[in-house]
Amino acid sequence: MSSLAIGAGVPVEQTGDRELWARAAAGDEGAFSELFERHAEALWNYTYRLTGSWSSAEDLASTTFLIAWRRRAEVTLVRDSALPWLYTVAANVARDEHRGARRRLRLLGKIPAQPPVSDHADSVAEKIDGQRRLGRVAEAVRSLPKSQREVVELCLAAEVSIADAAELLGIAEVTVRAHLSRGRARLRTLLEEK
């Protein structure tokens, strides 16, 4: 357990994720709600970096927490934090969604395309440009080899430490560093080509 200082420096004990998961696995909805409140923002930020879309990030984060609730008895935590497990689930759901979206796009490709309608508002254009840039980054990450992609998603997108990523993936830290270095170099190359 860790302690936090609140107000006039009075320490308050904060229940660790491991204990909250155990209580949630036993059916304590309040414990799961506390985990949700604790990690929802970090997970949403991660899913936004994966997808480049606000609405997709919200859907992906919601789906991840739904899966976490359903599989709460099977969860293995890394260093008493639920985030690495949540990030891994979110990445898997994002990949499944991406595959499904590609199938739907192939079907839609058979329908004649409508002419694009442009919006001239500066703020909307900035949001769209930002989403496109993030979308290109997400696409480049998805094109990496699996070993590099997993490390890049955990270490760069989710900001998981190299040690935690190594433990989560079951590989040595030096291997994580190598995959991260190669992944960064490949991403630079891919993003400069676009």
Side-chain angles (χ1 to χ4, degrees), residues 8-21:
V10 178
V12 174
E13 290 296 318
Q14 181 182 24
T15 306
D17 284 1
R18 188 179 311 275
E19 182 179 330
L20 288 172
W21 274 113

Side-chain angles (χ1 to χ4, degrees), residues 147 150-151 162-163 165-176 179:
S147 57
E150 288 174 339
V151 169
I162 289 175
E167 187 173 335
L168 184 65
L169 296 171
I171 57 177
E173 285 184 34
V174 70
T175 305
V176 171
H179 289 321

Side-chain angles (χ1 to χ4, degrees), residues 36-128:
F36 175 84
E37 291 298 324
R38 186 178 292 176
H39 299 302
E41 184 176 348
L43 184 64
W44 184 88
N45 286 329
Y46 174 66
T47 58
Y48 176 70
R49 288 189 297 262
L50 284 179
T51 63
S53 164
W54 287 283
S55 61
S56 294
E58 288 176 7
D59 292 344
L60 186 56
S62 296
T63 301
T64 300
F65 276 108
L66 179 62
I67 291 169
W69 174 253
R70 288 180 180 161
R71 296 185 55 202
R72 64 195 179 277
E74 305 166 23
V75 173
T76 302
L77 298 182
V78 175
R79 292 195 181 134
D80 198 38
S81 176
L83 274 176
W85 188 84
L86 290 169
Y87 289 151
T88 301
V89 170
N92 289 335
V93 172
R95 279 190 288 278
D96 290 346
E97 281 294 316
H98 180 69
R99 283 191 293 270
R102 281 195 322 229
R103 284 190 297 270
R104 288 187 294 277
L105 284 175
R106 280 194 304 268
L107 290 173
L108 288 174
K110 296 177 182 178
I111 299 172
Q114 297 293 323
V117 177
S118 62
D119 187 347
H120 300 288
D122 289 340
S123 64
V124 174
E126 287 174 11
K127 280 184 180 180
I128 291 171

